[in-house]
Amino acid sequence: MPKLTKTRFAPSPTGIMHIGNLRSALYEYLIARSEGGKFLLRIEDTDRERYVEGAVSAIYRTLETCGLFHDEGPDIGGPNGPYVQSERLRFYRQYAEELVRSGHAYPCFCTVERLSGLREGEEGEFSGYDRRCRGIDPAEAARRVEAGEPHVIRQKMPLDGETTFTDAVYGTITVQNKELEDQILLKTDGYPTYNFANVIDDHLMEVTHVVRGSEYLSSTPKYCILYDALGWEKPAFVHLPLIVGEDGKKLSKRHGSTSFGDLLKDGYLPEAIINMIAFLGWAPGDDTREIFSLAELEKIFSVKGINKAPAVFSYSKLDWMNEQYIRGLSHDVWREMIRKIADPLFGDRPYEADMLARVLQPRVTKLGDIGEMIRFLTERLPYDRELFSNKRAKLDASLALDILRDLQPKLESLPDWTEESLPALLERTCEETGRKKGQVMGSLRVALAAQQVTPGGATETAVILGRSESLARLEKALAFLNG
Ligand code: GLU
């Protein structure tokens, strides 16, 4: 019977969640779900120097916000816990000792000073550790370890031959063993290096697919040698392509926001971010659609669709996707989003949230743009005579003054202030005065907004602002035009 697919997201709590981390999590989640398997979360916190307070909670928050729920992990437990590496030190020690016994690893007593001297003196071909302690007689090494001499455990790489493995995305890769450094497995303080811990844990946690960024591709032969030394079956390796900006350069802050948190702050919806990230290295075969919910992705995702070509993160594409998601939100959900943004901006001044939401839904690209889009509503902007002139409508400031003078008493005596009564009044005014709609609506729009272009027209603006604020603005406009 084939093994149950099991993937893991194994972040190091060393900072914020980058797009690349989130892509790993998403692909791992999707591979597990699409194959009816399990997705586990493991916290790789053995690099104590790089540990960042709060990073673990950001990991949980991000996974939850994106709907990437795990089946095993530090918070919910599972059959192969603990799921935090700093709580698993006994396993790493146990297997490191086993590797020493079987001749696949050795204690190294070289001091930090010696090692840094080595690096400084480095010349030509040599890079990394010079294997001095590899030659120490095992019995003597064991005595020195027993006597408490500080040491690390190093992997004993084969000195000849080659190592070959097949990556699901990059294909078959072969390296010459002599090029591989005798890397440290266990540090002096008993903590494992990432290079060791990931192998032990992936095996003990029964991970079937190791999915991660391509920066780990070059270390994978070393992991393969460890699997073989321990007599363990290797998982499938799925390395993901580099993420680049539209200029082809590695994605960085220069291109725009590169962390999940910053993208949220810009005002992208988690669903749109996930949809965008799904395409960073994967494509759904012949299907040319681009909008997929997480539930749809869970059905159609497959390792076969992952491509090794650098994946382009396009902010304009993300903008477009975000628009699609915003347009598709139910009115109630969207109105609540708008209220969260607009309430603090309007302060204690009333506004009609329902109309504001309707005006914005077809027009907003990202939530972060809204504050600026509605500044003409949340603040009274200064007037300028030029604002009232519109060549096409044959409107200028003096005609606008006449129109607004005529409108003011009519608006003041309008019994109700609604999206039906207001346009009806404006229509009637056009008929009575023989003026064009563009002239009447345009004058009122500028009087209310103090800008020529607004999301929504005069009526919508008047409804959002309400009677009292609208009439106050009209009064101000008249005073300005009279002045
Ligand atoms: N802890 C590693 C990282 O955050 C995980 C790499 C892997 O998935 O094996 O990059």
PDB file of all heavy atoms in Angstrom, residues 35 39 55 74 86 115 119 157 166 211 217 273 284 321 410 469 472:
ATOM      1  N   GLU A  35      -3.770  15.075  -2.095  1.00  0.00           N
ATOM      2  CA  GLU A  35      -3.541  13.631  -2.081  1.00  0.00           C
ATOM      3  C   GLU A  35      -4.179  12.970  -0.861  1.00  0.00           C
ATOM      4  O   GLU A  35      -3.852  11.823  -0.534  1.00  0.00           O
ATOM      5  CB  GLU A  35      -2.027  13.357  -2.127  1.00  0.00           C
ATOM      6  CG  GLU A  35      -1.406  13.902  -3.418  1.00  0.00           C
ATOM      7  CD  GLU A  35       0.069  13.557  -3.575  1.00  0.00           C
ATOM      8  OE1 GLU A  35       0.579  12.725  -2.807  1.00  0.00           O
ATOM      9  OE2 GLU A  35       0.694  14.137  -4.490  1.00  0.00           O
ATOM     10  N   PHE A  39      -0.768  17.386   6.745  1.00  0.00           N
ATOM     11  CA  PHE A  39       0.116  18.549   6.675  1.00  0.00           C
ATOM     12  C   PHE A  39       0.513  18.907   8.101  1.00  0.00           C
ATOM     13  O   PHE A  39      -0.368  19.106   8.944  1.00  0.00           O
ATOM     14  CB  PHE A  39      -0.671  19.688   6.013  1.00  0.00           C
ATOM     15  CG  PHE A  39      -0.024  21.050   6.081  1.00  0.00           C
ATOM     16  CD1 PHE A  39       1.218  21.279   5.522  1.00  0.00           C
ATOM     17  CD2 PHE A  39      -0.691  22.119   6.685  1.00  0.00           C
ATOM     18  CE1 PHE A  39       1.803  22.551   5.571  1.00  0.00           C
ATOM     19  CE2 PHE A  39      -0.117  23.389   6.738  1.00  0.00           C
ATOM     20  CZ  PHE A  39       1.127  23.599   6.173  1.00  0.00           C
ATOM     21  N   ALA A  55       7.922  35.754  16.490  1.00  0.00           N
ATOM     22  CA  ALA A  55       7.887  35.158  15.143  1.00  0.00           C
ATOM     23  C   ALA A  55       6.973  33.924  15.108  1.00  0.00           C
ATOM     24  O   ALA A  55       6.283  33.692  14.112  1.00  0.00           O
ATOM     25  CB  ALA A  55       9.293  34.790  14.695  1.00  0.00           C
ATOM     26  N   PRO A  74       2.819  21.911  17.075  1.00  0.00           N
ATOM     27  CA  PRO A  74       3.084  22.162  18.490  1.00  0.00           C
ATOM     28  C   PRO A  74       1.807  22.446  19.287  1.00  0.00           C
ATOM     29  O   PRO A  74       1.692  22.048  20.433  1.00  0.00           O
ATOM     30  CB  PRO A  74       3.965  23.404  18.466  1.00  0.00           C
ATOM     31  CG  PRO A  74       4.542  23.453  17.101  1.00  0.00           C
ATOM     32  CD  PRO A  74       3.544  22.823  16.186  1.00  0.00           C
ATOM     33  N   SER A  86      13.618  22.522  19.521  1.00  0.00           N
ATOM     34  CA  SER A  86      14.378  22.665  20.775  1.00  0.00           C
ATOM     35  C   SER A  86      13.896  21.667  21.832  1.00  0.00           C
ATOM     36  O   SER A  86      14.560  21.455  22.836  1.00  0.00           O
ATOM     37  CB  SER A  86      14.283  24.094  21.294  1.00  0.00           C
ATOM     38  OG  SER A  86      12.934  24.437  21.496  1.00  0.00           O
ATOM     39  N   LEU A 115      39.457  27.323  13.617  1.00  0.00           N
ATOM     40  CA  LEU A 115      38.594  27.310  12.431  1.00  0.00           C
ATOM     41  C   LEU A 115      38.603  28.659  11.735  1.00  0.00           C
ATOM     42  O   LEU A 115      38.643  28.730  10.506  1.00  0.00           O
ATOM     43  CB  LEU A 115      37.167  26.911  12.811  1.00  0.00           C
ATOM     44  CG  LEU A 115      37.025  25.476  13.331  1.00  0.00           C
ATOM     45  CD1 LEU A 115      35.607  25.223  13.801  1.00  0.00           C
ATOM     46  CD2 LEU A 115      37.406  24.458  12.255  1.00  0.00           C
ATOM     47  N   ARG A 119      39.847  29.671   7.852  1.00  0.00           N
ATOM     48  CA  ARG A 119      39.090  30.420   6.854  1.00  0.00           C
ATOM     49  C   ARG A 119      39.931  31.568   6.292  1.00  0.00           C
ATOM     50  O   ARG A 119      39.945  31.820   5.106  1.00  0.00           O
ATOM     51  CB  ARG A 119      37.793  30.936   7.469  1.00  0.00           C
ATOM     52  CG  ARG A 119      36.601  30.614   6.622  1.00  0.00           C
ATOM     53  CD  ARG A 119      35.305  30.640   7.388  1.00  0.00           C
ATOM     54  NE  ARG A 119      34.988  29.357   7.991  1.00  0.00           N
ATOM     55  CZ  ARG A 119      34.619  29.185   9.247  1.00  0.00           C
ATOM     56  NH1 ARG A 119      34.549  30.206  10.059  1.00  0.00           N
ATOM     57  NH2 ARG A 119      34.320  27.995   9.694  1.00  0.00           N
ATOM     58  N   MET A 157      31.997  12.771   5.241  1.00  0.00           N
ATOM     59  CA  MET A 157      31.576  12.622   3.836  1.00  0.00           C
ATOM     60  C   MET A 157      32.460  11.605   3.126  1.00  0.00           C
ATOM     61  O   MET A 157      33.674  11.572   3.374  1.00  0.00           O
ATOM     62  CB  MET A 157      31.699  13.963   3.111  1.00  0.00           C
ATOM     63  CG  MET A 157      30.750  15.012   3.593  1.00  0.00           C
ATOM     64  SD  MET A 157      29.045  14.506   3.352  1.00  0.00           S
ATOM     65  CE  MET A 157      28.220  15.894   4.120  1.00  0.00           C
ATOM     66  N   THR A 166      17.033  12.516  -7.281  1.00  0.00           N
ATOM     67  CA  THR A 166      16.111  13.096  -8.248  1.00  0.00           C
ATOM     68  C   THR A 166      15.141  14.017  -7.535  1.00  0.00           C
ATOM     69  O   THR A 166      14.481  13.604  -6.583  1.00  0.00           O
ATOM     70  CB  THR A 166      15.335  11.992  -8.988  1.00  0.00           C
ATOM     71  OG1 THR A 166      16.301  11.179  -9.634  1.00  0.00           O
ATOM     72  CG2 THR A 166      14.389  12.562 -10.031  1.00  0.00           C
ATOM     73  N   VAL A 211       9.228  19.743   0.786  1.00  0.00           N
ATOM     74  CA  VAL A 211       8.972  20.829  -0.169  1.00  0.00           C
ATOM     75  C   VAL A 211       9.603  22.085   0.398  1.00  0.00           C
ATOM     76  O   VAL A 211       9.304  22.474   1.526  1.00  0.00           O
ATOM     77  CB  VAL A 211       7.446  21.044  -0.316  1.00  0.00           C
ATOM     78  CG1 VAL A 211       7.153  22.100  -1.369  1.00  0.00           C
ATOM     79  CG2 VAL A 211       6.740  19.735  -0.632  1.00  0.00           C
ATOM     80  N   LEU A 217      18.634  23.163  -2.440  1.00  0.00           N
ATOM     81  CA  LEU A 217      18.948  22.116  -3.417  1.00  0.00           C
ATOM     82  C   LEU A 217      20.403  21.647  -3.281  1.00  0.00           C
ATOM     83  O   LEU A 217      20.695  20.451  -3.305  1.00  0.00           O
ATOM     84  CB  LEU A 217      18.704  22.686  -4.819  1.00  0.00           C
ATOM     85  CG  LEU A 217      18.438  21.740  -5.961  1.00  0.00           C
ATOM     86  CD1 LEU A 217      17.299  20.777  -5.645  1.00  0.00           C
ATOM     87  CD2 LEU A 217      18.101  22.534  -7.229  1.00  0.00           C
ATOM     88  N   ILE A 273      -3.969  37.103  -2.099  1.00  0.00           N
ATOM     89  CA  ILE A 273      -2.532  36.834  -1.912  1.00  0.00           C
ATOM     90  C   ILE A 273      -2.273  35.345  -2.136  1.00  0.00           C
ATOM     91  O   ILE A 273      -1.333  34.958  -2.845  1.00  0.00           O
ATOM     92  CB  ILE A 273      -2.071  37.251  -0.497  1.00  0.00           C
ATOM     93  CG1 ILE A 273      -2.309  38.751  -0.280  1.00  0.00           C
ATOM     94  CG2 ILE A 273      -0.594  36.911  -0.290  1.00  0.00           C
ATOM     95  CD1 ILE A 273      -2.041  39.242   1.153  1.00  0.00           C
ATOM     96  N   PRO A 284      -1.998  25.347 -13.587  1.00  0.00           N
ATOM     97  CA  PRO A 284      -2.974  24.257 -13.605  1.00  0.00           C
ATOM     98  C   PRO A 284      -3.126  23.600 -14.974  1.00  0.00           C
ATOM     99  O   PRO A 284      -4.228  23.500 -15.495  1.00  0.00           O
ATOM    100  CB  PRO A 284      -4.266  24.953 -13.172  1.00  0.00           C
ATOM    101  CG  PRO A 284      -4.105  26.361 -13.640  1.00  0.00           C
ATOM    102  CD  PRO A 284      -2.641  26.669 -13.630  1.00  0.00           C
ATOM    103  N   MET A 321      -5.935  40.594  -9.351  1.00  0.00           N
ATOM    104  CA  MET A 321      -6.581  39.514  -8.594  1.00  0.00           C
ATOM    105  C   MET A 321      -7.355  40.081  -7.410  1.00  0.00           C
ATOM    106  O   MET A 321      -8.469  39.671  -7.119  1.00  0.00           O
ATOM    107  CB  MET A 321      -5.539  38.522  -8.089  1.00  0.00           C
ATOM    108  CG  MET A 321      -5.046  37.609  -9.184  1.00  0.00           C
ATOM    109  SD  MET A 321      -4.033  36.296  -8.517  1.00  0.00           S
ATOM    110  CE  MET A 321      -3.795  35.318  -9.992  1.00  0.00           C
ATOM    111  N   LYS A 410     -33.819  74.663  -3.101  1.00  0.00           N
ATOM    112  CA  LYS A 410     -34.522  73.429  -3.470  1.00  0.00           C
ATOM    113  C   LYS A 410     -34.011  72.268  -2.627  1.00  0.00           C
ATOM    114  O   LYS A 410     -34.784  71.434  -2.153  1.00  0.00           O
ATOM    115  CB  LYS A 410     -34.323  73.110  -4.950  1.00  0.00           C
ATOM    116  CG  LYS A 410     -34.992  74.109  -5.866  1.00  0.00           C
ATOM    117  CD  LYS A 410     -34.685  73.756  -7.310  1.00  0.00           C
ATOM    118  CE  LYS A 410     -35.426  74.677  -8.253  1.00  0.00           C
ATOM    119  NZ  LYS A 410     -34.873  74.636  -9.597  1.00  0.00           N
ATOM    120  N   GLU A 469     -24.128  67.881   6.272  1.00  0.00           N
ATOM    121  CA  GLU A 469     -22.777  68.143   5.760  1.00  0.00           C
ATOM    122  C   GLU A 469     -22.838  68.627   4.306  1.00  0.00           C
ATOM    123  O   GLU A 469     -22.097  69.528   3.893  1.00  0.00           O
ATOM    124  CB  GLU A 469     -21.900  66.886   5.889  1.00  0.00           C
ATOM    125  CG  GLU A 469     -20.496  66.990   5.285  1.00  0.00           C
ATOM    126  CD  GLU A 469     -19.561  67.961   6.005  1.00  0.00           C
ATOM    127  OE1 GLU A 469     -19.934  68.437   7.112  1.00  0.00           O
ATOM    128  OE2 GLU A 469     -18.480  68.271   5.464  1.00  0.00           O
ATOM    129  N   ALA A 472     -23.892  72.209   4.254  1.00  0.00           N
ATOM    130  CA  ALA A 472     -22.811  73.053   4.776  1.00  0.00           C
ATOM    131  C   ALA A 472     -21.747  73.267   3.697  1.00  0.00           C
ATOM    132  O   ALA A 472     -21.216  74.366   3.521  1.00  0.00           O
ATOM    133  CB  ALA A 472     -22.210  72.408   6.021  1.00  0.00           C
TER     134      ALA A 472
END
